């Protein structure tokens, strides 16, 4: 499976130490196979995902065995994209997650999509947009692919001012 590689560098000289800093993250390895599940048990799990922050006002982050999004102002359009998953034509696939409303004053809406790159324009919807208001809600969809290859699922947050969501 895909593995995330990065380095932490810290200068040490004459009894003094700099603050550690991390290199960029690079992924290598083969695509995951189905069934694919993710429980976000560690930062290493989260680091396999691509995060796209289109609004610059808060985006997806790891938080206690889940992933959360808090958006401060304006309309959010933030993407959490899985590592590659090998899929085949002729198979029916199901994707699902439980989304929670969090504690903000406005609910977050969640959409699930599929694509073959990390470019949002490459994705198509596989689960309708669901507004998660008062209680945990299952968001799910079924889909198939026309070509064999590596695909990525995207969890797209579409919240407004002061919105919060958890998956």
């Amino acid at each position: 499976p895909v593995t995330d590689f990065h380095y932490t560098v810290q200068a040490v000289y004459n009894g003094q130490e700099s603050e550690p800093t991390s290199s960029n993250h690079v992924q290598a390895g083969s695509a995951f196979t189905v069934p694919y599940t993710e429980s976000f048990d560690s930062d290493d799990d989260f680091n396999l995902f691509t995060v796209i922050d289109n609004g610059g006002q808060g985006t997806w982050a790891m938080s206690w065995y889940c992933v959360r999004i808090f958006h401060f102002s304006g309309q959010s359009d933030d993407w959490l994209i899985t590592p590659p998953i090998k899929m085949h034509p002729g198979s029916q696939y199901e994707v699902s997650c439980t989304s929670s409303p969090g504690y903000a004053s406005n609910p977050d809406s969640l959409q699930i999509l599929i694509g073959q790159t990390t470019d949002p324009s490459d994705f198509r919807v596989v689960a309708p947009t669901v507004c998660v208001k008062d209680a945990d809600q299952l968001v799910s969809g079924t889909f198939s692919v026309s070509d064999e290859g590596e695909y990525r699922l995207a969890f797209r947050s579409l919240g407004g001012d002061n919105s919060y969501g958890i998956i």
Side-chain angles (χ1 to χ4, degrees):
V2 174
T3 303
D4 177 70
F5 295 95
H6 72 280
Y7 297 95
T8 301
V9 179
Q10 180 178 27
V12 178
Y13 176 74
N14 201 20
Q16 295 185 337
E17 298 178 355
S18 70
E19 290 294 319
T21 187
S22 292
S23 69
N24 59 321
H25 291 256
V26 175
Q27 295 179 359
S30 58
F32 286 92
T33 57
V34 291
Y36 172 77
T37 61
E38 182 54 68
S39 56
F40 296 108
D41 292 331
S42 72
D43 287 338
D44 290 338
D45 296 333
F46 180 74
N47 288 335
L48 294 176
F49 283 69
T50 300
V51 174
I52 298 174
D53 178 5
N54 280 328
Q57 298 292 322
T59 194
W60 295 102
M62 178 81 180
S63 178
W64 297 96
Y65 302 102
C66 66
V67 177
R68 63 167 172 74
I69 186 162
F70 181 73
H71 189 74
F72 303 105
S73 64
Q75 182 66 36
S76 72
D77 182 11
D78 296 313
W79 296 64
L80 179 68
I81 303 173
T82 66
I85 305 165
K86 184 78 170 169
M87 295 186 193
H88 307 277
S91 295
Q92 191 75 6
Y93 296 97
E94 180 179 348
V95 59
S96 66
C97 71
T98 300
S99 185
S100 301
Y103 59 81
S105 59
N106 289 318
D108 193 52
S109 293
L110 183 69
Q111 186 179 62
I112 304 176
L113 305 94
I114 188 167
Q116 288 191 280
T117 69
T118 56
D119 179 353
S121 66
D122 177 51
F123 284 79
R124 66 178 168 93
V125 175
V126 295
T129 304
V130 173
C131 183
V132 182
K133 292 181 181 179
D134 300 320
D136 290 359
Q137 191 165 349
L138 182 67
V139 181
S140 65
T142 57
F143 63 95
S144 59
V145 297
S146 56
D147 298 312
E148 184 169 332
E150 296 179 0
Y151 290 83
R152 296 170 182 261
L153 295 165
F155 300 87
R156 183 181 185 194
S157 168
L158 298 163
D161 288 345
N162 196 31
S163 61
Y164 187 89
I166 302 170
I167 61 171

